Amino acid sequence: MADKKYMTIDGIPVEINGEKNLLELIRKVGIKLPTFCYHSDLSVYGACRMCMVENERGGLDAACSTPPREGMNIRTNTERLRRYRRNILELIIANHCNDCTTCKNNLRCKLQDLAMRYNIDGVRFPNTSGNARPKDESSDSISMDPSKCILCGDCVRVCHELQNVGAIDFAFRGSKMSISTAFGKPLSESPCVGCGQCVAICPTGALV
């Protein structure tokens, strides 16, 4: 029988038992590391950077895309990491519409939950959500509001990888990046079948 392998998470020795990334191991021991773009049934995207951990050398690793190794020693909740996550949340909120009280996802929104968890009571950056494309309500079953999208990519991957439809994808680059149908057509004119899987996985109510 092979010897057991261990690593250390927040000072706790944890056995490595086939976990494919640090995030799985961290959650196995009951630590609620925040994520927007990670789902175990989908490919690893690593975009939101909320799951960063601090390694023994003081570097930062994305827990969702870093495989566990014997002897690793990581921390998940240092003051540096808390500041890092608050900055990310502020940047996301600055690019997100501020109609939380009237949003259909109010009190069921992961962004709202994490903003409360990290005590975000103000945003230092100007709000740019007004630059987003108009809301698409052409479909009989799904409404898409780009001003609420945080570009986590969950909807794109579930549409491509689980549903094998590919009705939506990333468009453009940099600050102009958005989730869109091919050629920017309305959802009603796309291959969308109205399955609702993108709605179920969206963390912010950009798809309802």
Side-chain angles (χ1 to χ4, degrees):
M1 184 175 178
D3 292 336
K4 293 182 178 180
K5 297 181 179 180
Y6 289 86
M7 64 170 290
T8 303
I9 301 174
D10 292 339
I12 304 169
V14 180
E15 183 183 355
I16 302 171
N17 190 19
E19 289 80 14
K20 62 185 178 183
N21 55 47
L22 291 176
L23 185 57
E24 288 186 354
L25 205 58
I26 290 166
R27 288 180 170 175
K28 186 175 79 170
V29 298
I31 297 171
K32 295 181 179 180
L33 201 64
T35 61
F36 284 118
C37 67
Y38 179 79
H39 289 272
S40 57
D41 293 331
L42 302 176
S43 61
V44 174
Y45 183 45
C48 74
R49 316 311 278 179
M50 287 293 291
C51 70
M52 300 297 280
V53 295
E54 194 169 342
N55 61 40
E56 61 269 25
R57 300 181 303 277
L60 298 181
D61 296 317
C64 67
S65 58
T66 303
R69 300 188 306 274
E70 184 177 14
M72 286 183 78
N73 187 351
I74 63 168
R75 291 181 292 173
T76 68
N77 194 34
T78 64
E79 178 56 34
R80 177 189 180 192
L81 288 169
R82 290 193 293 271
R83 287 199 306 269
Y84 183 88
R85 290 175 188 139
R86 283 195 292 267
N87 285 339
I88 290 174
L89 287 168
E90 282 193 54
L91 288 167
I92 291 174
I93 293 169
N95 194 39
H96 188 273
C97 67
N98 53 11
D99 66 347
C100 292
T101 55
T102 57
C103 176
K104 292 181 180 179
N105 261 37
N106 186 30
L107 303 180
R108 295 182 290 109
C109 172
K110 186 179 287 189
L111 177 58
Q112 188 181 54
D113 289 345
L114 287 176
M116 293 175 65
R117 175 176 167 182
Y118 284 91
N119 298 315
I120 306 295
D121 55 7
V123 175
R124 294 166 290 167
F125 313 107
N127 190 282
T128 59
S129 63
N131 299 330
R133 292 181 295 110
K135 185 184 295 187
D136 182 352
E137 296 181 310
S138 63
S139 169
D140 291 333
S141 55
I142 297 172
S143 173
M144 179 186 290
D145 186 350
S147 71
K148 296 181 181 180
C149 178
I150 61 173
L151 298 175
C152 65
D154 293 348
C155 58
V156 171
R157 285 176 293 139
V158 77
C159 189
H160 283 255
E161 298 172 14
L162 295 188
Q163 297 305 109
N164 296 310
V165 175
I168 52 178
D169 210 329
F170 290 99
F172 310 111
R173 294 178 180 273
S175 61
K176 295 184 178 180
M177 182 180 284
S178 64
I179 304 298
S180 176
T181 60
F183 307 107
K185 291 183 177 180
L187 272 175
S188 60
E189 298 176 24
S190 76
C192 176
V193 296
C195 67
Q197 291 302 309
C198 59
V199 174
I201 207 169
C202 178
T204 64
L207 290 157
V208 293

